[in-house]
Amino acid sequence: MRLLLVLPALLALTHDVYSARILSLFPHTGKSHQMVFEPLLRRLAERGHHVTVVSFFPIKNAPANYSDVSLQGLAHLGLEVIDLSIYEHPSKLLRMIGLEKIVKQITEFQPLADMALSVCSKLVNFKPLADALKKEYDLIIMENFNSDCMLGLAHVYGQKAPFIYLSSCGLMQWSPGRLGLSDNPSYVPIVSSDFANPMSFFQRLENTFLNIYYKLWFRYTIQLKEKEIIEKHFGKKIPDLQDLSKNVSAVLVNVYHSLYGVKPLLPGVIEVGGMHLDHTRKPIPHYIEKFMNESEHGVVLLSFGSLIKTATIPKHKEEMIVRTLSKIKQRVIWKYEDSGEEGTITGNILKVRWLPQYELLQHPKVIAFIGHGGLLGMTEAISAGKPMLVVPFFGDQPYNGASAAAVGFAKVIPYIELTEKSLLEGLQDVLSAEMRLTARRASKIWKDRQADPLDTAVYWTERVIRWGHQAPLHSHARDLPLYQYLLLDVAATFIVVIIILAVILRVMLVLILRFVSGSVNAKEKLH
Ligand SMILES: *[C@@H]1O[C@H](CO)[C@@H](O)[C@H](O)[C@H]1NC(C)=O
Ligand SMILES: *[C@@H]1O[C@H](CO)[C@@H](O)[C@H](O)[C@H]1NC(C)=O
Ligand SMILES: *[C@@H]1O[C@H](CO)[C@@H](O)[C@H](O)[C@H]1NC(C)=O
């Protein structure tokens, strides 16, 4: 009997975890998010774990013991869907009164809510997901982005396993509190801003406002509504998703401070930026390699990522870009969806439909990168040590650009400020020997870590499997009510004590004065 009780404890003390059952829940439709998660999930399966992945992106040649539950068909995928013309006509009025950026940030978040609710209302009804959630697991991995629907569903199906979050970008504003992490807006810029430290008074004002706004926005436009969707479908009450989320064991964040800026961390907030970078190289298509080989002064890469459909760029802007690029002596490779099978060459520009971006960035002939500031491209550029011209559009892109500029290996030109003059000047900066040197140094610092980021991610994932709730990695801040966290009770006490002391002091002063003037008067009377 004794032995039976001791045995599991002894097993837990050995440091390996063998074939744990891991369920991964990714309800977001953005392909770039999945590109970050996939290498970790693969690696976990290769290490002998049983990995079940619920996502919109089932993988090809999956390793043994890796199984996909496909969500395909439940929503449109976020791939080359963003039409650039929406960025062409910003409001002049808002710009004049300085509110343009705030309004832009607030409005561009709205689609995230619509997406989350629409997917959630389908997930509650999705049998393959229900089947997966009915099984037992040792760990659940969830994406921490715009939805808590999966969290609610895991609860409905009685999941008791510890869970961790993966974040393919920096932490969203509603996430730090889940682990009790400080996100003081005096020095932690929010994920959609374009701020870098030190922030001016107005920047801190905006940063504080948006920090609070986004927390409330997520709570009221997503979290409470998802709870409602789940309760309505299953006909029973579930706990507040906010409370469920505060049971998370750790969060792996796809950033690294040498690019993203130094911020407060906790043992359970683990920077794994770069974990998706593939160490096996894809071959570079022959026609691209030939184009690069023949360049005398090197090549500049231009890509606006997977979400933006570059071919929707307005004609006048495209012509302006082509005209400017034709003025530099380097050759240019441009990721452009509407180009021919073998690419289309105009002057020094090769337009290609698809390119192996990371492999090209590593290529010695490629000397600079013009991109939109998506975190994956930035990560690839800093890892390869190539300077960047960042043309940010939305989401975290302005912030990523600002961070890279603060490190010194990038120049930022917002899309609406993109003109022949600004582009040419920007390119000259980026192609300068100085910035190329800074980029190479940034790359060395980026790579100088205790462990490879993918190994780090695997380690912490398995650590949570080993110890779960027995080895907490969060701070007590997450359990504090707001008034205690902000020390409002303590501050109030101080204020009351100070007021009482002031009153006592005043009364004493009055008494002393009275006494002194009384004795003076008495003396005067005597004279
Ligand atoms: C797959 O799982 C089975 C059962 O746990 C295990 O015996 C086998 O070694 C695993 N395969 C791999 C490649 O890890
Ligand atoms: C959080 O986890 C603990 C430990 O497993 C469990 O006892 C508790 O019920 C969980 N809380 C919620 C709200 O699920
Ligand atoms: C490009 O140059 C490299 C090194 O000189 C060579 O190995 C490769 O075959 C060349 N590729 C093409 C397509 O010309």
Side-chain angles (χ1 to χ4, degrees):
M1 187 60 205
R2 266 264 165 82
L3 191 67
L4 276 184
L5 284 177
V6 169
L7 207 57
L10 280 180
L11 281 179
L13 285 178
T14 65
H15 274 250
D16 292 312
V17 262
Y18 297 106
S19 52
R21 298 153 301 174
I22 302 175
L23 175 65
S24 311
L25 303 169
F26 302 117
H28 185 62
T29 55
K31 171 112 166 90
S32 59
H33 292 219
Q34 204 64 26
M35 283 159 73
V36 175
F37 308 145
E38 193 188 306
L40 173 63
L41 302 169
R42 269 184 192 275
R43 176 68 71 83
L44 289 170
E46 284 160 9
R47 286 174 63 83
H49 300 301
H50 291 252
V51 182
T52 306
V53 181
V54 179
S55 81
F56 283 93
F57 305 95
I59 62 171
K60 295 187 197 94
N61 46 51
N65 295 339
Y66 181 113
S67 51
D68 273 309
V69 175
S70 169
L71 298 177
Q72 274 175 354
L74 292 195
H76 292 295
L77 297 189
L79 191 65
E80 291 168 4
V81 286
I82 291 185
D83 191 323
L84 281 182
S85 57
I86 59 170
Y87 294 100
E88 283 293 313
H89 308 290
S91 157
K92 285 208 179 71
L93 175 70
L94 288 175
R95 187 147 224 223
M96 241 161 53
I97 55 176
L99 290 180
E100 180 213 6
K101 280 190 194 158
I102 289 198
V103 173
K104 176 175 173 288
Q105 288 177 59
I106 288 177
T107 44
E108 74 189 15
F109 265 68
Q110 197 48 42
L112 290 182
D114 303 338
M115 221 186 285
L117 297 183
S118 145
V119 171
C120 188
S121 64
K122 294 185 178 135
L123 290 180
V124 290
N125 232 340
F126 192 57
K127 185 153 182 315
L129 174 63
D131 292 342
L133 280 171
K134 279 175 193 156
K135 296 185 188 132
E136 231 182 278
Y137 300 94
D138 302 302
L139 178 77
I140 299 180
I141 302 179
M142 276 183 250
E143 169 159 25
N144 182 219
F145 188 54
N146 64 338
S147 165
D148 279 332
C149 190
M150 286 295 195
L151 193 59
L153 291 175
H155 177 88
V156 166
Y157 288 97
Q159 288 299 332
K160 288 274 178 276
F163 67 97
I164 62 172
Y165 283 133
L166 297 189
S167 178
S168 65
C169 52
L171 288 180
M172 302 303 267
Q173 248 40 71
W174 43 91
S175 303
R178 296 174 178 211
L179 285 117
L181 181 70
S182 166
D183 65 340
N184 188 334
S186 64
Y187 68 102
V188 181
I190 65 160
V191 77
S192 61
S193 72
D194 59 355
F195 302 152
N197 279 310
M199 289 186 269
S200 70
F201 169 74
F202 285 105
Q203 288 177 332
R204 281 180 291 121
L205 194 65
E206 181 179 325
N207 201 50
T208 307
F209 169 76
L210 287 176
N211 179 307
I212 298 168
Y213 169 84
Y214 280 134
K215 288 186 169 90
L216 296 173
W217 175 82
F218 179 75
R219 176 120 186 102
Y220 290 99
T221 60
I222 297 181
Q223 204 175 45
L224 290 179
K225 292 197 175 151
E226 286 182 333
K227 179 169 187 272
E228 235 174 76
I229 291 174
I230 295 171
E231 288 182 340
K232 195 159 161 227
H233 180 83
F234 292 96
K236 63 173 182 189
K237 291 273 169 219
I238 60 166
D240 191 340
L241 295 175
Q242 185 74 12
D243 294 339
L244 291 179
S245 79
K246 287 188 171 179
N247 240 5
V248 65
S249 291
V251 49
L252 308 183
V253 196
N254 180 37
V255 299
Y256 188 64
H257 58 263
S258 81
L259 168 62
Y260 206 68
V262 174
K263 301 194 168 70
L265 294 175
L266 284 169
V269 179
I270 299 128
E271 294 188 326
V272 292
M275 76 165 176
H276 75 285
L277 294 178
D278 195 349
H279 299 294
T280 60
R281 296 270 178 280
K282 285 189 234 61
I284 294 174
H286 185 266
Y287 71 97
I288 296 184
E289 190 169 30
K290 184 159 172 291
F291 181 79
M292 292 201 295
N293 273 7
E294 288 165 4
S295 74
E296 216 180 303
H297 303 280
V299 173
V300 174
L301 208 60
L302 195 170
S303 167
F304 289 143
S306 61
L307 206 56
I308 295 166
K309 195 165 186 317
T310 319
T312 61
I313 202 164
K315 264 278 155 296
H316 69 96
K317 209 134 208 179
E318 183 182 335
E319 281 163 13
M320 183 277 290
I321 295 176
V322 170
R323 210 163 45 240
T324 314
L325 292 176
S326 70
K327 288 184 184 157
I328 59 172
K329 56 185 186 206
Q330 284 77 14
R331 287 189 159 188
V332 178
I333 300 178
W334 184 344
K335 177 180 172 282
Y336 192 99
E337 299 78 23
D338 291 357
S339 51
E341 206 47 61
E342 286 274 284
T344 319
I345 298 187
T346 347
N348 62 337
I349 302 173
L350 169 67
K351 285 181 176 165
V352 299
R353 188 178 299 194
W354 174 86
L355 45 83
Q357 185 168 290
Y358 188 43
E359 284 71 11
L360 288 182
L361 282 171
Q362 301 270 338
H363 196 285
K365 283 277 187 183
V366 171
I367 59 172
F369 180 30
I370 306 174
H372 65 316
L375 194 52
L376 271 55
M378 306 282 308
T379 300
E380 292 175 357
I382 194 170
S383 169
K386 301 296 160 78
M388 277 196 78
L389 185 78
V390 182
V391 183
F393 294 90
F394 64 93
D396 60 351
Q397 295 159 8
Y399 179 74
N400 300 338
S403 309
V407 175
F409 78 101
K411 171 101 192 164
V412 179
I413 308 175
Y415 181 69
I416 40 171
E417 289 168 24
L418 200 60
T419 61
E420 200 163 335
K421 185 164 174 292
S422 66
L423 181 56
L424 195 59
E425 284 173 3
L427 275 169
Q428 276 158 359
D429 281 351
V430 168
L431 292 168
S432 69
E434 194 191 347
M435 204 177 271
R436 290 173 61 191
L437 193 68
T438 310
R440 279 201 293 278
R441 187 177 59 227
S443 163
K444 290 201 174 123
I445 296 174
W446 165 270
K447 288 177 181 162
D448 190 348
R449 309 189 201 186
Q450 216 168 9
D452 169 84
L454 185 55
D455 292 341
T456 305
V458 168
Y459 168 78
W460 286 100
T461 306
E462 292 185 346
R463 194 179 195 278
V464 171
I465 297 174
R466 280 194 289 274
W467 304 109
H469 293 291
Q470 295 171 53
L473 302 167
H474 63 277
S475 89
H476 186 61
R478 82 170 175 198
D479 304 317
L480 290 179
L482 193 65
Y483 77 90
Q484 284 185 19
Y485 178 71
L486 296 175
L487 289 171
L488 295 182
D489 49 351
V490 173
T493 310
F494 277 139
I495 290 169
V496 169
V497 168
I498 288 169
I499 290 173
I500 291 174
L501 283 179
V503 169
I504 292 175
L505 221 65
R506 201 192 132 88
V507 171
M508 277 168 62
L509 219 64
V510 169
L511 287 179
I512 290 170
L513 280 179
R514 234 181 241 165
F515 177 76
V516 171
S517 70
S519 59
V520 169
N521 283 346
K523 269 187 195 157
E524 274 173 359
K525 267 182 195 160
L526 276 182
H527 280 280

